[in-house]
Amino acid sequence: SLRFPQKLWKMLESDQFRSIWWSEGGKCVAINKDLFEVEVLGREGQQVFHTQKIKSFKRQLNAYGFTKMQRKFQRSASLPEFLAEEAAASAHSQILYYYNPSFNRAHPWLLETCKRR
Protein backbone atom coordinates (compact mmCIF):
# COMPACT_ATOMS: atom_id res chain seq x y z
CA SER A 1 0.00 0.00 0.00
CA LEU A 2 1.10 3.59 -0.59
CA ARG A 3 2.55 5.80 2.12
CA PHE A 4 0.67 8.94 3.18
CA PRO A 5 2.58 11.36 0.89
CA GLN A 6 2.03 9.13 -2.17
CA LYS A 7 -1.70 8.82 -1.41
CA LEU A 8 -1.92 12.59 -1.02
CA TRP A 9 -0.04 13.17 -4.31
CA LYS A 10 -2.28 10.71 -6.19
CA MET A 11 -5.35 12.44 -4.79
CA LEU A 12 -4.08 15.88 -5.88
CA GLU A 13 -3.31 14.62 -9.38
CA SER A 14 -6.71 12.95 -9.71
CA ASP A 15 -9.73 14.87 -10.97
CA GLN A 16 -11.93 12.77 -8.71
CA PHE A 17 -11.85 15.16 -5.72
CA ARG A 18 -13.13 18.75 -5.54
CA SER A 19 -12.10 19.29 -1.91
CA ILE A 20 -8.31 19.21 -2.37
CA TRP A 21 -6.04 20.78 -5.01
CA TRP A 22 -2.58 22.17 -5.73
CA SER A 23 -2.20 25.89 -5.01
CA GLU A 24 0.62 28.44 -5.22
CA GLY A 25 1.67 26.97 -8.58
CA GLY A 26 1.98 23.44 -7.22
CA LYS A 27 3.93 24.37 -4.08
CA CYS A 28 1.06 24.06 -1.58
CA VAL A 29 -1.84 21.75 -0.86
CA ALA A 30 -5.20 23.52 -0.50
CA ILE A 31 -8.03 21.75 1.33
CA ASN A 32 -11.65 22.86 1.59
CA LYS A 33 -12.10 21.56 5.14
CA ASP A 34 -15.88 20.99 5.17
CA LEU A 35 -16.01 19.43 1.72
CA PHE A 36 -12.94 17.27 2.46
CA GLU A 37 -14.60 15.87 5.60
CA VAL A 38 -17.59 14.73 3.53
CA GLU A 39 -15.93 13.82 0.23
CA VAL A 40 -12.77 12.08 1.50
CA LEU A 41 -12.96 11.30 5.21
CA GLY A 42 -16.67 10.41 5.14
CA ARG A 43 -16.38 7.76 2.42
CA GLU A 44 -17.96 4.48 3.41
CA GLY A 45 -16.02 1.30 2.66
CA GLN A 46 -13.40 2.87 0.38
CA GLN A 47 -11.39 5.11 2.67
CA VAL A 48 -8.37 6.83 1.20
CA PHE A 49 -6.73 7.51 4.56
CA HIS A 50 -7.17 5.40 7.68
CA THR A 51 -9.18 8.07 9.49
CA GLN A 52 -12.54 9.81 9.43
CA LYS A 53 -11.37 12.81 11.46
CA ILE A 54 -9.84 16.00 10.05
CA LYS A 55 -7.76 16.32 13.25
CA SER A 56 -6.07 12.96 12.56
CA PHE A 57 -5.51 13.90 8.92
CA LYS A 58 -3.82 17.17 10.01
CA ARG A 59 -1.67 15.18 12.45
CA GLN A 60 -0.52 13.02 9.52
CA LEU A 61 0.35 16.14 7.51
CA ASN A 62 2.39 17.44 10.46
CA ALA A 63 4.11 14.07 10.93
CA TYR A 64 5.35 14.27 7.34
CA GLY A 65 6.71 17.79 7.71
CA PHE A 66 3.83 19.84 6.29
CA THR A 67 3.31 23.23 7.88
CA LYS A 68 0.09 25.20 7.85
CA MET A 69 0.32 28.41 5.84
CA GLN A 70 -1.48 31.56 6.90
CA ARG A 71 -3.15 33.46 4.09
CA LYS A 72 -2.47 37.18 4.15
CA PHE A 73 -5.08 39.42 2.58
CA GLN A 74 -4.31 42.96 1.54
CA ARG A 75 -7.15 45.25 2.62
CA SER A 76 -8.54 47.97 0.38
CA ALA A 77 -9.19 51.49 1.53
CA SER A 78 -12.65 51.75 -0.09
CA LEU A 79 -15.57 50.36 1.93
CA PRO A 80 -17.28 48.37 -0.89
CA GLU A 81 -14.00 46.68 -1.84
CA PHE A 82 -13.17 46.08 1.82
CA LEU A 83 -16.56 44.39 2.41
CA ALA A 84 -16.14 42.22 -0.70
CA GLU A 85 -12.68 41.20 0.50
CA GLU A 86 -14.05 40.39 3.96
CA ALA A 87 -16.61 38.04 2.37
CA ALA A 88 -13.87 36.38 0.31
CA ALA A 89 -11.64 36.05 3.38
CA SER A 90 -14.51 34.45 5.30
CA ALA A 91 -15.03 31.89 2.52
CA HIS A 92 -11.25 31.36 2.52
CA SER A 93 -11.25 30.51 6.23
CA GLN A 94 -12.67 27.11 5.24
CA ILE A 95 -9.59 26.57 3.04
CA LEU A 96 -6.51 25.13 4.74
CA TYR A 97 -3.11 25.57 3.06
CA TYR A 98 -0.19 23.26 3.79
CA TYR A 99 3.40 23.49 2.58
CA ASN A 100 6.26 21.01 2.52
CA PRO A 101 9.49 21.78 0.60
CA SER A 102 9.69 18.09 -0.44
CA PHE A 103 6.14 18.09 -1.79
CA ASN A 104 6.16 20.11 -5.01
CA ARG A 105 4.17 19.33 -8.15
CA ALA A 106 7.03 20.48 -10.42
CA HIS A 107 9.52 18.15 -8.65
CA PRO A 108 7.86 14.73 -8.19
CA TRP A 109 11.23 13.08 -7.47
CA LEU A 110 11.36 14.97 -4.14
CA LEU A 111 8.42 12.88 -2.94
CA GLU A 112 10.89 10.13 -1.96
CA THR A 113 12.49 12.53 0.57
CA CYS A 114 9.12 13.20 2.21
CA LYS A 115 9.58 11.03 5.32
CA ARG A 116 7.68 10.62 8.58
CA ARG A 117 9.33 12.51 11.43
Side-chain angles (χ1 to χ4, degrees), residues 53-113:
K53 294 182 173 63
I54 192 77
K55 194 173 183 178
S56 298
F57 178 76
K58 288 178 184 178
R59 211 174 289 125
Q60 281 280 76
L61 285 168
N62 292 329
Y64 279 94
F66 286 84
T67 53
K68 188 173 181 185
M69 305 290 291
Q70 296 302 324
R71 303 300 289 173
K72 307 239 183 316
F73 289 97
Q74 295 294 323
R75 299 293 188 219
S76 295
S78 82
L79 183 60
E81 284 179 35
F82 178 81
L83 293 173
E85 288 166 3
E86 280 298 304
S90 167
H92 259 282
S93 69
Q94 282 303 316
I95 312 286
L96 307 172
Y97 296 92
Y98 284 89
Y99 170 77
N100 180 327
S102 299
F103 200 86
N104 185 317
R105 189 178 197 178
H107 307 292
W109 57 89
L110 289 176
L111 193 56
E112 288 306 310
T113 66

Side-chain angles (χ1 to χ4, degrees), residues 22-39:
W22 291 105
S23 82
E24 307 297 319
K27 292 182 175 80
C28 286
V29 176
I31 303 164
N32 179 318
K33 183 180 158 296
D34 289 348
L35 187 56
F36 188 79
E37 287 182 293
V38 173
E39 184 183 56

